[in-house]
Amino acid sequence: MGICLNRILVVLLIWGAFWGNSFAQADSLSLNSVMDLFVEDYQESAEETESKKRLEQMGAAILLHDSARSAMHEKRYDDFKRIYAETQEFEKKYPYRVFYDADILVVKYFAKDFAFLCNVDSVARYKMFVSPQYGLGATNLREQMKSGVFEETLKEIENGSDRAFVRILFAGLFEDKETVSKKIAEDRSKLTNQKQLKYLVDQYWSMREPDLHNFATFSFGLPFSKLFGDLEKKVKPGFGGITGIDMLYKDFLLGWNLDAYSGKYRDVDSLYFFDANVGFNLGYMFLSKRRVHLYGFLSVGIGIGQLACDDYDDEKCNDDSRQDYFTYGAGGMADVLFARLGNYWYGIRLRGGMRNVKADHLVDASGYRLGGSIELVMLRYKEKNVEFEFKNGVGAAK
């Protein structure tokens, strides 16, 4: 209707321009103004035509996408390949994309466009867009990977490095980086194409392992002690306990332990001698294996000695005596780990060492205590990233 009105107006204006006595306002119009109206009318028609073409092309792209989705849903893979070929021709002619960027890698697999999938430059363009969990063909691909159809399909790729590359590429769509990293390590001898290997490492490599030189331990157990010096003549052999916490950083040991010893006082049957030590250990780890550690350490601390009553009815009992003193000593430890639960390792710790014992105000004697212990130890390693090293065309984890 608008176009018809424009044409009627143009005719009237032309008539007025030639017969100026009929329309006074037509005196100000020129022939150029009249021509401009014709041009404007022509441009509006061209835009409408172009808009119609764009809508038709967009509709064709949507129709192709829906057809491909339907074929994938019904597992008509031959039809899907045919539709994919049609989309390739369509995208060459028109500026519309049929498939989303997030679906491209899966689409290429079902279209068996292996040349694209084996080309690092091709797949790298879509590494930021891939979201296969809900995309076109994602469910179908997961089913094929579980059933073994995926591996059978990969046999159509002749080159072994290309097969390994595509296998790991798609593993990266559905699995975590640690799992994919293990696959890279397993197949690194097959990945002879360095460009493919580097892409996979840059994209997915995230291997972590226990740091054998940085960890923390907690231990507790029973010590076995032997007294030396004058103290041995005053105190009978006894029993005790020990617990400790140690931190290891770059093979240097910083630890704390609490050990206690108790034995009968020989001169008075109703008294027993109690000795405890809070020690701080500074040492070094000489052997570092995942399941075996050997340490040596020096120790300083605070000793607490006391006589305690075994029978409070005995008139000779006097347990008010106590003596605090400075301790020093040295020793060694060996950890043997045999079990792992989560991030923790469990095992046995063998500890041995000697330290001074002062009891001059208690039993009029001093000496040394040579001790050994068997302890249960719990260890947690600090984890570290494993770098990927390329050797002679083959990747190897350090």
Side-chain angles (χ1 to χ4, degrees), residues 75-113:
K75 298 182 180 180
R76 293 182 285 108
Y77 298 127
D78 289 338
D79 289 343
F80 181 85
K81 287 177 62 178
R82 176 183 55 78
I83 297 169
Y84 169 78
E86 293 177 4
T87 64
Q88 294 294 96
E89 295 299 322
F90 175 84
E91 291 177 353
K92 289 179 182 178
K93 296 178 180 180
Y94 307 111
Y96 290 97
R97 302 288 300 276
V98 175
F99 299 109
Y100 300 120
D101 287 340
D103 299 332
I104 289 298
L105 296 184
V106 178
V107 166
K108 294 290 185 180
Y109 165 78
F110 283 103
K112 296 190 176 181
D113 190 352

Side-chain angles (χ1 to χ4, degrees), residues 7-286:
R7 290 176 177 175
I8 293 171
L9 180 59
V10 169
V11 171
L12 291 174
L13 289 174
I14 294 174
W15 181 80
F18 282 102
W19 307 96
N21 295 330
S22 300
F23 299 97
Q25 293 180 352
D27 291 340
S28 61
L29 295 176
S30 65
L31 182 61
N32 288 336
S33 298
V34 175
M35 294 306 296
D36 287 341
L37 292 174
F38 277 111
V39 173
E40 183 180 356
D41 182 57
Y42 171 78
Q43 289 176 341
E44 288 179 356
S45 299
E47 290 175 357
E48 290 179 354
T49 302
E50 183 64 26
S51 176
K52 183 178 179 180
K53 288 182 179 179
R54 287 197 298 266
L55 288 174
E56 290 175 350
Q57 294 167 8
M58 187 182 300
I62 294 173
L63 181 60
L64 284 170
H65 184 274
D66 290 345
S67 299
R69 179 174 292 278
S70 177
M72 181 65 67
H73 179 72
E74 297 172 7
K75 298 182 180 180
R76 293 182 285 108
Y77 298 127
D78 289 338
D79 289 343
F80 181 85
K81 287 177 62 178
R82 176 183 55 78
I83 297 169
Y84 169 78
E86 293 177 4
T87 64
Q88 294 294 96
E89 295 299 322
F90 175 84
E91 291 177 353
K92 289 179 182 178
K93 296 178 180 180
Y94 307 111
Y96 290 97
R97 302 288 300 276
V98 175
F99 299 109
Y100 300 120
D101 287 340
D103 299 332
I104 289 298
L105 296 184
V106 178
V107 166
K108 294 290 185 180
Y109 165 78
F110 283 103
K112 296 190 176 181
D113 190 352
F114 298 128
F116 178 95
L117 294 175
C118 297
N119 188 302
V120 172
D121 295 330
S122 298
V123 300
R125 292 176 53 195
Y126 299 94
K127 65 181 179 181
M128 299 302 295
F129 301 101
V130 175
S131 71
Q133 300 300 321
Y134 308 103
L136 177 63
T139 301
N140 303 61
L141 180 56
R142 284 197 295 268
E143 290 177 356
Q144 289 199 0
M145 295 177 80
K146 291 180 180 179
S147 65
V149 174
F150 177 76
E151 286 295 329
E152 290 297 320
T153 302
L154 291 188
K155 291 180 180 180
E156 299 180 29
I157 303 175
E158 295 182 1
N159 184 275
S161 183
D162 289 345
R163 281 197 303 274
F165 176 74
V166 175
R167 179 184 298 111
I168 297 172
L169 178 70
F170 281 103
L173 302 185
F174 301 104
E175 300 177 6
D176 59 81
K177 285 191 173 184
E178 183 177 356
T179 302
V180 179
S181 297
K182 292 178 181 179
K183 293 181 181 295
I184 295 174
E186 292 172 359
D187 288 349
R188 63 179 181 262
S189 60
K190 301 176 183 178
L191 291 163
T192 55
N193 184 316
Q194 287 296 286
K195 192 172 184 179
Q196 292 176 341
L197 178 60
K198 186 177 185 305
Y199 174 81
L200 294 175
V201 171
D202 292 343
Q203 186 73 5
Y204 300 110
W205 184 261
S206 182
M207 183 75 78
R208 295 177 66 82
E209 68 177 7
D211 188 344
L212 303 184
H213 303 278
N214 294 277
F215 55 81
T217 68
F218 171 77
S219 62
F220 64 93
L222 298 175
F224 303 92
S225 300
K226 170 68 175 174
L227 298 176
F228 291 91
D230 295 337
L231 192 62
E232 182 184 8
K233 301 175 183 179
K234 297 287 186 176
V235 180
K236 297 179 181 179
F239 61 92
I242 186 170
T243 184
I245 296 175
D246 300 286
M247 303 290 294
L248 195 90
Y249 178 71
K250 294 184 177 180
D251 291 338
F252 286 95
L253 175 75
L254 180 63
W256 168 89
N257 68 274
L258 171 64
D259 68 90
Y261 174 82
S262 179
K264 283 282 189 177
Y265 182 38
R266 294 182 186 271
D267 292 348
V268 180
D269 291 338
S270 60
L271 292 177
Y272 64 90
F273 175 73
F274 175 81
D275 181 70
N277 175 63
V278 179
F280 298 90
N281 306 323
L282 180 63
Y284 187 79
M285 182 169 62
F286 295 99

